[in-house]
Amino acid sequence: MIVRREDGYEIATDPDRLDIELVHHWLSTDAFWALGRSRETVEQSIRASLNFGLYQPGGAQVAYARVVTDLATFAWLCDVYVDPAHRGRGLGTWLAAVIRDHLAPYKLKRVLLSTLDAHDVYAKVGFVPFPDPQKLMILGPGQASA
């Protein structure tokens, strides 16, 4: 899938087009939720996810997001990152909208995400606070192997 904006930016789901070195750099050095993430982990997460690369006119990658999903009932939007030099152009909102629209035909029961500071970006495309956060639970790092 490729979606283009009038200004020449485009979003593609082809994982072979991703600049994995760049995605690893962004996540491991600048994304607070993924600081120190290994290249091996980034590569494994890409292989096991639906990926969205956002490219500037001319083809260089400027943003990334991935969705972990069964394409039947549930999806988790994560690792959304826009290069600082390209922020403020509505790219994050556009990326979230394209992802929402890409997932719509699957009629998923729930699409979740977690954000510390981008609530307004996601609200613009329909995300709302989880209605019953007291129902959510988490298995923390290292607990899954216990």
Side-chain angles (χ1 to χ4, degrees):
M1 176 227 43
I2 297 176
V3 178
R4 287 184 183 85
R5 223 166 67 157
E6 287 183 14
D7 60 2
Y9 283 95
E10 66 182 30
I11 295 172
T13 56
D14 179 0
D16 292 332
R17 190 169 171 192
L18 295 172
D19 183 337
I20 295 174
E21 184 62 36
L22 181 61
V23 171
H24 172 251
H25 174 75
W26 285 336
L27 296 178
S28 67
T29 65
D30 193 41
F32 69 86
W33 65 90
L35 292 176
R37 187 178 289 174
S38 72
R39 167 122 183 190
E40 179 182 356
T41 298
V42 169
E43 290 175 357
Q44 175 61 28
S45 69
I46 287 170
R47 283 192 300 272
S49 301
L50 176 58
N51 299 278
F52 295 82
L54 196 156
Y55 305 89
Q56 70 181 359
Q61 187 171 350
V62 298
Y64 173 73
R66 69 186 180 93
V67 176
V68 180
T69 183
D70 58 13
L71 295 176
T73 63
F74 177 80
W76 178 263
L77 173 57
C78 55
D79 288 343
V80 179
Y81 187 91
V82 177
D83 186 293
H86 293 268
R87 292 179 187 165
R89 301 174 193 190
L91 296 174
T93 301
W94 181 52
L95 180 58
V98 167
I99 292 168
R100 176 203 61 206
D101 295 348
H102 185 85
L103 295 174
Y106 298 102
K107 299 183 183 341
L108 303 173
K109 180 176 181 175
R110 191 167 285 123
V111 178
L112 296 179
L113 64 82
S114 176
T115 184
L116 179 65
D117 56 3
H119 295 80
D120 291 342
V121 169
Y122 298 109
K124 290 176 187 174
V125 299
F127 283 88
V128 297
F130 197 82
D132 301 307
Q134 68 278 8
K135 291 182 179 179
L136 292 175
M137 296 184 74
I138 186 170
L139 191 60
Q143 292 177 305
S145 60

